[in-house]
Amino acid sequence: MALPPLPLPAGVTSRNIQTNDLNIHILEAGQTPENNKPLIILLHGFPEIAYSWRRVIPKLAAAGFYVVAPDQRGFGRTTGWDTRGYEDVDLATFSLSMLVRDIVLLAHALGYRSVRCVAGHDCGAVSAAACALIRPDFFQSVALMSHPFNGAPDLPFNTANADAATGSETAAAGGAGGAEGSAAAAGIHDALAELGRKHYKWYYSTKQAGPEMSDLEPDEMHRFLRGYFHLKSGSWLGNRPHPLGKWSAADLVKLPGYYIMPLNETMPGTVAHDMEHEPSGGLASHSWLPDEELAVYAAEYSRTGFQGGLNWYRVRTAARGRYTKDFDVFAGKKLEPPCAYVSGKLDWGNYQEPGAIEKMKNGISCADLRVFRLVDGVGHWTPQESPDEVTRAILDLIGGVRD
């Protein structure tokens, strides 16, 4: 069935690219028949699609680059991924190494053997960091937004020689799977439950999350997404983020409801509760996301549901490391390519994994952090709320990266 065209800015076009196992839908600008412009790949977050880069793509293309934003595996108009139900889907096809493989295959299909910059926002920043970690030769630079890189896996160390009286040394929290995917997560669910709360990533990993978020009438889907985008943006007065002390229930409950939810609530219910006192019941438009653009997201998620994207969270949280073990081979490895971090100053995503930003800034997780910017007045949706600053950060980063 033919899908309606997306309302794209001038110069941005849409098509599908067949790779080994996916038919990847991309938005692009700046392509030449000779493939003589450096390639930039932009990876979206959740609940988003390639369309979230609509304001950044033409700006980067105008600077002389070939810019491509794909709908990633499980999202939007990309097909070929495992669409079976919750119990039957092969989650190995949503592992981080598989997501990196998707982007390497896409670049090759486009006629490129290297990528000047891979940029990622939200969970797209996780896959962008994984790209740079696994193939620093292929991805020449990496720009992360709203989700700092918390480091490669940190494995149990010197356990064979530990003194029995003092016990063995163990891994610290963090790693490519994040604190939520490590031993540090043990007991956090019970501790949060005692406080009447639950972590959104574990909710996203449950069987009921998909239907509760997807089985909405069109007006309900629009209202839910309007509220979700609003609450995480710089427009919501409830966002006053600050660093957290550690990965503990006492610290995590300081996060807003869209991160640390009421224990017995759905995500649409959580959003609706926090939107009760907002103007127009949360239906008021934003300059960076007017209703006609929000309608694109509502239509796409009404068509596809959310489960494809939710499978990303299942791999990193509820599967108890089953699908992240391959990343153990990168233990102790830093991001080697030149790196940028740009995010909204009002984005709680900067701090939801305590200490991650500090690891990037002090060289523990990132060997060459060249650009670090937090943008005033901007929340979680940096590429949409502040496309000029995102473009500037990427160009400042790759201006110092040789061909």
Side-chain angles (χ1 to χ4, degrees):
M1 180 180 67
L3 297 174
L6 298 172
L8 300 174
V12 178
T13 57
S14 165
R15 62 171 167 150
N16 279 66
I17 305 295
Q18 184 64 50
T19 64
N20 287 18
D21 53 5
L22 291 181
N23 191 262
I24 302 178
H25 173 252
I26 66 169
L27 303 183
E28 62 184 340
Q31 184 200 26
T32 62
E34 301 80 15
N35 289 342
N36 57 2
K37 294 182 179 180
L39 174 63
I40 297 175
I41 293 182
L42 308 173
L43 305 179
H44 64 81
F46 179 93
E48 296 186 275
I49 47 178
Y51 186 70
S52 294
W53 296 101
R54 63 196 176 280
R55 292 188 176 89
V56 176
I57 294 171
K59 297 177 186 297
L60 290 172
F65 296 91
Y66 175 36
V67 190
V68 173
D71 284 340
Q72 295 193 81
R73 177 181 293 262
F75 292 89
R77 301 186 176 192
T78 287
T79 59
W81 48 275
D82 191 345
T83 59
R84 288 178 294 176
Y86 187 89
E87 292 89 354
D88 299 322
V89 63
D90 180 5
L91 288 180
T93 62
F94 287 87
S95 68
L96 276 172
S97 55
M98 183 63 77
L99 301 180
V100 173
R101 176 177 177 269
D102 289 343
I103 305 308
V104 173
L105 288 173
L106 173 61
H108 278 80
L110 293 170
Y112 283 79
R113 298 189 184 277
S114 66
V115 176
R116 175 63 67 87
C117 181
V118 57
H121 170 253
D122 187 74
C123 63
V126 178
S127 48
C131 286
L133 188 73
I134 295 177
R135 291 296 307 272
D137 60 315
F138 192 85
F139 298 96
Q140 297 177 351
S141 63
V142 57
L144 308 179
M145 298 160 214
S146 301
H147 199 304
F149 180 58
N150 203 17
D154 196 358
L155 303 181
F157 185 74
N158 199 28
T159 56
N161 304 309
D163 184 270
T166 59
S168 62
E169 296 185 41
T170 57
E180 74 279 358
S182 72
I188 197 73
H189 309 303
D190 291 340
L192 284 171
E194 290 178 1
L195 300 174
R197 307 290 285 280
K198 62 186 175 187
H199 198 290
Y200 81 106
K201 289 185 179 179
W202 280 277
Y203 168 75
Y204 281 172
S205 299
T206 62
K207 183 177 180 179
Q208 67 269 21
E212 288 172 350
M213 296 170 66
S214 303
D215 296 345
L216 302 174
E217 295 297 325
D219 60 332
E220 294 175 327
M221 180 67 75
H222 188 98
R223 182 182 296 272
F224 167 49
L225 289 175
R226 169 59 73 201
Y228 195 88
F229 280 115
H230 172 72
L231 291 173
K232 298 186 75 170
S233 77
S235 303
W236 189 47
L237 298 180
N239 286 323
R240 293 292 181 266
H242 55 80
L244 301 179
K246 57 183 178 179
W247 180 258
S248 68
D251 281 281
L252 290 177
V253 293
K254 299 173 184 177
L255 292 165
Y258 54 77
Y259 277 130
I260 305 300
M261 304 166 59
L263 182 60
N264 298 314
E265 189 57 270
T266 68
M267 183 57 83
T270 299
V271 168
H273 178 270
D274 286 339
M275 292 297 292
E276 285 179 354
H277 303 294
E278 292 298 292
S280 303
L283 295 178
S285 186
H286 295 74
S287 60
W288 54 270
L289 188 60
D291 275 345
E292 59 269 23
E293 294 180 355
L294 177 65
V296 173
Y297 294 93
E300 290 294 280
Y301 279 103
S302 292
R303 179 177 60 84
T304 66
F306 292 92
Q307 192 58 59
L310 295 177
N311 286 337
W312 288 43
Y313 294 91
R314 294 178 65 193
V315 164
R316 299 182 63 228
T317 57
R320 298 184 181 276
R322 179 179 178 185
Y323 302 106
T324 57
K325 292 179 180 178
D326 55 340
F327 261 70
D328 287 350
V329 301
F330 300 100
K333 192 175 189 297
K334 301 179 182 182
L335 292 184
E336 296 174 0
C339 183
Y341 187 79
V342 56
S343 189
K345 191 174 288 187
L346 298 178
D347 183 6
W348 271 107
N350 299 321
Y351 308 115
Q352 67 162 311
E353 291 188 9
I357 279 183
E358 288 72 22
K359 288 182 182 179
M360 291 188 70
K361 295 175 75 172
N362 63 22
I364 292 176
S365 64
C366 181
D368 188 7
L369 181 62
R370 298 190 181 182
V371 177
F372 181 87
R373 292 171 191 163
L374 299 181
V375 186
D376 286 332
V378 171
H380 184 69
W381 315 107
T382 324
Q384 299 193 72
E385 294 183 67
S386 187
D388 289 338
E389 290 297 333
V390 167
T391 301
R392 187 174 300 112
I394 292 175
L395 293 178
D396 286 348
L397 171 67
I398 60 183
V401 180
R402 294 181 295 177
D403 289 329

